[in-house]
Amino acid sequence: MVLSLVKGQKIDLTKNNPDMNLLHIGFDWLAPKQFDVDVSAFLLGHDDKIVREEDFVFYGQPVSSNGSVSLEESLSTIEKQHFLINLPNVSDEVQKISFTLTIYESDLNGYTFQDVTDIKLRIVNSRLQQEIAIFPIDYVLTKESAVVLGTLYRYSGEWKFHAVGSGFFGGLADLCADYGVEVESPNDECQNTIPTIQPLTVSNQRVQTVLEREGSEDVEVVPTPTIEHVQLKRSSVVQFNERRIETLSNQSEELIHLFDEPQESETQTVQSSPIVTQLNTDFFKTVTEGIDLDSFFHSLSEVDKTFLLMFENGKIDVKSAKDYLKTHGLMLAFYVNTINEKANEHLDDNLLQIVNESIKVFEEFEPLFEKIKERVRNEH
């Protein structure tokens, strides 16, 4: 049976299928003829940065450093391109493989994913030619020019897949910058070549990769993104947690009945306080039921812990967050997404949301968030 994934869903791939070692990750979409949509894969380490230059796989570099990931044109009519991933051959340094879609020169021609429909990602057991799952983008994107469709990632020695499905305002250059690949500006003597791509962590032994499309006679320059363009913005998609909605509804009714009871004296009014306190305690227990706070805490890096300590009353302004993350070479939208990935893994839901000019903790997690901050303070 083929699984149909929804945004945010995670599935095991190898845990109960030890023979699943060759994956086919296929992509399909519908776009106007003038659109040039590209797929890319970023092989990332523990820090969510690219491990080495050759581990950025795209049209100009279709094979990863050790050949474990390769990009191929699909002969099938149900998809346009696909990656083949030989899981046993993926370097131990690689903890995650992120799959993205971008529109070529979107900043020049104004094309966005608003006009791209029927986006799908397929996961196939290549050896058995058996389709495992499909992830359709069944919601509308707007002015985004890049989409992170999903990630393969290691967990407890096995491989899992996370259906991300997040759109961003920014093209391939912005994705490269966030994943630790530096796009250099062309010099005056080389105005007709595409800038070379190099990892931020490589110093002297940099191997230049020229981003040239096969068969192109005239290769145009990809302009260096402006400062304003570097900061990607995550698209907003409303998600509902039916279990929490039901819990909140039930407890609201209990509170209504509590205050509807006649209050014969001040003594009775005072005695009602412990009941309200008990309700709040029960609510906190319900919200935190089934989560693994310890594992979430241990998944946080020192950068994460310092960042969370900056929150006051469950929020931080976007400017302060950007200033802090900039010193660590991180982009706000991607960073918040990374924190939420950890929260989904261990807390079973997103922890943070970007609202206007603030980053806020979801209301139901505020008591838990304060416990996390207290634990960080005690650790330091």
Side-chain angles (χ1 to χ4, degrees):
M1 179 179 177
V2 179
L3 295 174
S4 181
L5 305 180
V6 298
K7 179 180 171 69
Q9 187 173 351
K10 297 180 180 181
I11 59 171
D12 290 304
L13 293 177
T14 61
K15 184 176 182 179
N16 299 313
N17 299 282
D19 296 329
M20 187 184 298
N21 49 32
L22 188 62
L23 286 183
H24 169 122
I25 308 292
F27 305 84
D28 194 42
W29 60 85
L30 290 178
K33 291 182 179 180
Q34 67 272 26
F35 277 45
D36 197 353
V37 179
D38 297 312
V39 299
S40 303
F42 296 84
L43 283 64
L44 309 174
H46 286 283
D47 58 355
D48 282 332
K49 301 294 183 182
I50 199 166
V51 173
R52 55 183 60 83
E53 178 180 349
E54 296 83 0
D55 287 336
F56 166 37
V57 183
F58 67 117
Y59 60 82
Q61 186 167 260
V63 182
S64 64
S65 60
N66 65 352
S68 60
V69 179
S70 59
L71 174 62
E72 302 178 358
E73 294 291 333
S74 293
L75 300 177
S76 170
T77 58
I78 64 174
E79 64 184 30
K80 292 181 173 59
Q81 290 182 300
H82 67 266
F83 287 99
L84 277 181
I85 298 100
N86 191 326
L87 293 177
N89 289 350
V90 176
S91 169
D92 292 340
E93 300 171 277
V94 176
Q95 296 298 307
K96 181 188 297 184
I97 304 174
S98 181
F99 301 102
T100 69
L101 287 183
T102 54
I103 301 175
Y104 182 61
E105 294 189 339
S106 58
D107 52 348
L108 294 182
N109 51 43
Y111 300 154
T112 69
F113 277 97
Q114 184 176 26
D115 298 310
V116 181
T117 59
D118 292 337
I119 300 173
K120 297 181 182 70
L121 180 148
R122 297 170 62 242
I123 305 175
V124 179
N125 184 331
S126 188
R127 295 200 187 281
L128 301 179
Q129 288 300 297
Q130 179 183 43
E131 190 171 49
I132 301 166
I134 183 169
F135 176 35
I137 303 297
D138 53 5
Y139 45 88
V140 178
L141 298 170
T142 56
K143 299 297 183 181
E144 298 93 335
S145 52
V147 179
V148 178
L149 280 180
T151 57
L152 283 174
Y153 66 100
R154 297 182 194 264
Y155 183 74
S156 297
E158 302 291 347
W159 285 96
K160 303 180 72 172
F161 179 79
H162 178 202
V164 179
S166 293
F168 296 88
F169 296 94
L172 182 58
D174 288 328
L175 287 173
C176 287
D178 187 73
Y179 287 134
V181 184
E182 182 179 354
V183 180
E184 293 186 346
S185 301
N187 57 40
D188 294 337
E189 297 177 358
C190 187
Q191 291 297 324
N192 293 319
T193 60
I194 296 179
T196 58
I197 298 241
Q198 300 175 329
L200 295 177
T201 56
V202 176
S203 55
N204 297 324
Q205 299 178 348
R206 293 187 174 183
V207 181
Q208 292 189 340
T209 301
V210 179
L211 309 182
E212 296 180 346
R213 294 177 179 273
E214 295 182 2
S216 297
E217 295 181 3
D218 297 317
V219 185
E220 298 180 356
V221 175
V222 176
T224 303
T226 62
I227 294 176
E228 293 78 16
H229 193 62
V230 169
Q231 183 57 53
L232 307 184
K233 299 179 180 178
R234 185 176 179 183
S235 59
S236 298
V237 177
V238 178
Q239 295 177 313
F240 296 95
N241 187 315
E242 295 180 358
R243 179 173 62 83
R244 286 201 175 91
I245 291 174
E246 183 179 358
T247 300
L248 287 169
S249 177
N250 292 338
Q251 290 171 354
S252 295
E253 291 181 3
E254 292 181 39
L255 287 172
I256 290 172
H257 291 316
L258 175 67
F259 288 107
D260 280 345
E261 293 178 0
Q263 298 180 359
E264 298 178 0
S265 66
E266 291 184 3
T267 303
Q268 288 185 340
T269 303
V270 172
Q271 290 175 345
S272 68
S273 293
I275 300 176
V276 176
T277 302
Q278 183 62 46
L279 283 173
N280 290 338
T281 303
D282 291 341
F283 171 69
F284 179 70
K285 288 180 180 178
T286 303
V287 169
T288 58
E289 182 180 357
I291 68 174
D292 191 345
L293 179 59
D294 285 341
S295 63
F296 174 69
F297 184 81
H298 291 305
S299 74
L300 299 174
S301 67
E302 287 303 315
V303 172
D304 298 339
K305 293 174 182 177
T306 303
F307 178 70
L308 296 181
L309 279 179
M310 295 171 64
F311 280 67
E312 295 184 4
N313 299 319
K315 66 180 180 180
I316 182 177
D317 65 274
V318 166
K319 183 181 182 305
S320 297
K322 285 182 179 179
D323 290 343
Y324 171 72
L325 296 175
K326 185 178 179 181
T327 63
H328 296 278
L330 299 169
M331 288 187 177
L332 179 63
F334 276 96
Y335 182 75
V336 170
N337 187 58
T338 299
I339 292 290
N340 281 336
E341 282 186 1
K342 295 177 181 179
N344 269 285
E345 186 68 48
H346 304 290
L347 309 182
D348 198 32
D349 207 346
N350 288 340
L351 178 67
L352 305 177
Q353 59 180 327
I354 301 177
V355 181
N356 297 325
E357 293 302 314
S358 298
I359 304 169
K360 297 182 178 180
V361 178
F362 279 100
E363 184 177 2
E364 62 268 34
F365 276 123
E366 286 181 0
L368 181 67
F369 187 78
E370 291 304 316
K371 286 184 174 292
I372 294 171
K373 286 178 61 178
E374 181 180 354
R375 188 165 175 177
V376 173
R377 291 191 192 98
N378 292 337
E379 186 181 74
H380 289 76

